């Protein structure tokens, strides 16, 4: 079992975009940041439920396959679930339709917990107010020996990294410059020094 983070960042290290508008809530920059991933055959099948078999293959698709492989539980922030956009909507069920792609228990970190939400395909969202360590303990309990993925968003990822709770960090770098947003590396100097010392307080594998 390992605790994993898989994320896309720009050449200048940004995980988030800032060009969203009411007419384009994701923004053009987000499409550019995640283009290689969302174009894959795996993403189209797993997330969009596209049964046509279309989509890119090769290294990007292998990354997409690995993203979902051997995950027994997921942790995400309230923003990734959409609670920041729909904080007062008791019927909000997330961004992914009636059958989300996770197919595992998902723990949503929020200051305003709500009842658990069971979805088709094996995904159940649990909403809790907890520290990273407390949330991870809950996730490990139900992961049945498989990995726990820290899904995001950016602030949640940084909180888990800074707490020394991540075993494997995979960073896919999109060939674009964003210049603003939340930067993965801001304020992380102490963390990078700790993870390259020996012995490490919590082993971290990094790949690009």
């Amino acid at each position: 079992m390992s605790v994993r983070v898989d994320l896309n960042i720009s050449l200048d290290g940004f995980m988030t975009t800032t060009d969203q508008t009411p007419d384009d809530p994701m923004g053009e920059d987000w499409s550019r940041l995640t283009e290689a991933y969302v174009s894959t055959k795996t993403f189209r099948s797993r997330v969009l439920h596209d049964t046509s078999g279309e989509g890119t293959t090769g290294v990007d698709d292998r990354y997409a396959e690995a993203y979902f492989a051997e995950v027994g539980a997921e942790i995400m922030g309230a923003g990734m679930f959409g609670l920041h956009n729909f904080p007062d909507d008791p019927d909000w069920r997330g961004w992914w339709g009636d059958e989300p792609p996770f197919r595992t228990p998902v723990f949503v970190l929020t200051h305003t917990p709500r009842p658990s939400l069971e979805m088709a395909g094996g995904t159940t969202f649990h909403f809790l107010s907890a520290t990273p360590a407390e949330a991870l303990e809950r996730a490990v309990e139900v992961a049945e020996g498989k990995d726990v993925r820290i899904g995001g968003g950016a602030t949640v990822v940084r909180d888990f990294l800074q707490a020394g709770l991540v075993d494997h960090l995979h960073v896919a770098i999109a060939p674009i410059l964003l210049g603003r947003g939340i930067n993965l590396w801001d304020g992380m100097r102490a963390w990078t020094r700790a993870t390259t010392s020996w012995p490490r307080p919590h082993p971290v594998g990094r790949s690009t």
Side-chain angles (χ1 to χ4, degrees), residues 68-85:
F68 292 107
E70 296 302 315
V71 174
E74 178 113 3
I75 299 172
M76 66 175 62
M80 185 172 174
F81 184 77
L83 291 181
H84 292 172
N85 298 77

Side-chain angles (χ1 to χ4, degrees), residues 90-164:
D91 298 321
W92 174 246
R93 298 168 66 85
W95 304 107
W96 303 278
D98 293 331
E99 188 176 345
F102 308 104
R103 304 176 187 174
T104 65
V106 178
F107 295 90
V108 181
L109 300 177
T110 173
H111 295 300
T112 55
R114 56 176 65 190
S116 295
L117 180 61
E118 187 172 350
M119 308 287 284
T123 299
T124 300
F125 293 104
H126 303 284
F127 304 88
L128 65 156
S129 177
T131 66
E134 291 167 343
L136 181 58
E137 183 177 1
R138 289 279 303 273
V140 169
E141 288 176 356
V142 301
E144 299 182 345
K146 293 185 176 181
D147 293 346
V148 175
R149 183 174 58 225
I150 313 304
T155 301
V156 170
V157 167
R158 286 166 55 86
D159 287 346
F160 275 82
L161 288 173
Q162 290 172 331

Side-chain angles (χ1 to χ4, degrees), residues 30-106:
W30 181 255
S31 299
R32 298 168 62 217
L33 184 63
T34 60
E35 180 180 7
Y37 172 51
V38 303
S39 298
T40 63
K41 180 179 178 180
T42 295
F43 180 92
R44 292 174 65 93
S45 172
R46 180 83 179 231
V47 180
L48 304 180
H49 307 291
D50 180 354
T51 59
S52 69
E54 296 182 357
T56 60
T57 56
V59 64
D60 291 326
D61 195 52
R62 290 196 296 274
Y63 161 70
E65 288 179 336
Y67 178 83
F68 292 107
E70 296 302 315
V71 174
E74 178 113 3
I75 299 172
M76 66 175 62
M80 185 172 174
F81 184 77
L83 291 181
H84 292 172
N85 298 77
F86 302 93
D88 301 317
D89 184 353
D91 298 321
W92 174 246
R93 298 168 66 85
W95 304 107
W96 303 278
D98 293 331
E99 188 176 345
F102 308 104
R103 304 176 187 174
T104 65
V106 178

Side-chain angles (χ1 to χ4, degrees), residues 141-202:
E141 288 176 356
V142 301
E144 299 182 345
K146 293 185 176 181
D147 293 346
V148 175
R149 183 174 58 225
I150 313 304
T155 301
V156 170
V157 167
R158 286 166 55 86
D159 287 346
F160 275 82
L161 288 173
Q162 290 172 331
L165 298 174
V166 175
D167 298 304
H168 182 85
L169 171 62
H170 180 270
V171 177
I173 302 175
I176 61 173
L177 298 172
L178 293 177
R180 57 185 180 177
I182 298 178
N183 193 294
L184 174 61
W185 310 120
D186 281 350
M188 298 293 285
R189 180 176 179 181
W191 172 80
T192 57
R193 291 179 63 185
T195 59
T196 55
S197 64
W198 188 263
R200 296 176 181 174
H202 192 92

Side-chain angles (χ1 to χ4, degrees), residues 19-29 31:
D19 66 334
Q20 296 85 350
T21 67
D23 294 330
D24 186 1
M26 300 302 290
E28 181 181 348
D29 284 344
S31 299

